[in-house]
Amino acid sequence: MENKIIEKAISKSQHCQRNWDLEKNIPDADLQTMVTSVTECPSKQNEAFYKVIIVKDRNKIEKIHETTDGFTFHDGTKDTISPDGWIKQGVKTVTNSQTLANILFVFLKDTPKSNRSTQVAATNLYSEQSEGVENEIEKQRNLSVGIASGYLNLTASLLEYNTGCCSCFDSGKIEKILDCKDPILLMGVGYRDKTRSRLE
């Protein structure tokens, strides 16, 4: 593969997509390649710190989208931002359309079945104070999900798809919709709507 093709995919992958062409379907072969990207990417001690659910059911995707009402419209003034930096009550919010893609990848917390990472945390020789087992697992989970979502983002871009991420959602509602536990990241993957700006 030519370097320019890879560089183009990298550049494209940084742009989030907010509207989608739902008349098209992602072929199974492409979906399998994307699944491979999130299941075969590196993690500490090659342990599984997350799970992924792939949602293709349009009804479920739209219900999940409804749980993402948290993107705020504010102007950074005292009218919309409190002195402690939080958004004030009553500021307009909207749902995140990046989740309305052709397919939605839902990353969930998981804890490794083996104890290789916890052994490293308990006997950490590289710092004077161990962070503790739970803190180490959480840190490695965040790193692992970051790597996996990055792999998925770039893989989707190389396959000529667009992506969008969302981490602002009602976890409890998503758990009920998908019969799952501890969602931490949503990533929409699909075909962009060529009739509209991706920012719309």
Side-chain angles (χ1 to χ4, degrees), residues 108-130:
L108 312 168
K109 288 184 181 180
D110 196 13
T111 302
K113 305 292 185 277
S114 62
N115 63 356
R116 294 188 297 272
S117 289
T118 55
Q119 287 173 343
V120 170
T123 59
N124 189 350
L125 302 177
Y126 300 101
S127 64
E128 292 182 9
Q129 289 186 325
S130 172

Side-chain angles (χ1 to χ4, degrees), residues 3-146:
N3 289 10
K4 290 294 181 188
I5 294 173
I6 298 172
E7 289 170 9
K8 181 181 176 185
I10 291 169
S11 180
K12 176 186 170 190
S13 71
Q14 69 175 295
H15 299 143
C16 63
Q17 186 67 34
R18 293 179 175 87
N19 47 64
W20 309 91
D21 181 353
L22 301 178
E23 298 299 315
K24 298 178 179 178
N25 293 310
I26 294 176
D28 289 340
D30 288 356
L31 179 56
Q32 183 54 54
T33 299
M34 288 186 268
V35 169
T36 300
S37 76
V38 297
T39 57
E40 298 296 325
C41 56
S43 64
K44 185 175 180 64
Q45 304 294 328
N46 200 31
E47 291 186 313
F49 294 92
Y50 62 90
K51 295 178 183 176
V52 179
I53 296 176
I54 294 123
V55 185
K56 296 193 276 185
D57 182 301
R58 195 75 225 151
N59 185 48
K60 288 184 178 179
I61 289 173
E62 290 178 6
K63 284 182 178 177
I64 290 169
H65 168 253
E66 291 170 8
T67 75
T68 66
D69 190 1
F71 185 84
T72 57
F73 288 90
H74 65 84
D75 57 11
T77 67
K78 63 181 181 178
D79 294 329
T80 56
I81 304 288
S82 65
D84 59 2
W86 291 97
I87 305 294
K88 285 187 175 178
Q89 289 283 10
V91 175
K92 182 181 178 183
T93 61
V94 295
T95 51
N96 189 335
S97 61
Q98 295 174 71
T99 60
L100 283 173
N102 304 77
I103 292 177
L104 189 62
F105 285 74
V106 181
F107 290 81
L108 312 168
K109 288 184 181 180
D110 196 13
T111 302
K113 305 292 185 277
S114 62
N115 63 356
R116 294 188 297 272
S117 289
T118 55
Q119 287 173 343
V120 170
T123 59
N124 189 350
L125 302 177
Y126 300 101
S127 64
E128 292 182 9
Q129 289 186 325
S130 172
E131 293 181 81
V133 172
E134 290 305 316
N135 287 345
E136 180 65 18
I137 289 174
E138 187 65 20
K139 180 176 86 173
Q140 293 307 324
R141 179 180 295 117
N142 291 336
L143 289 169
S144 295
V145 170

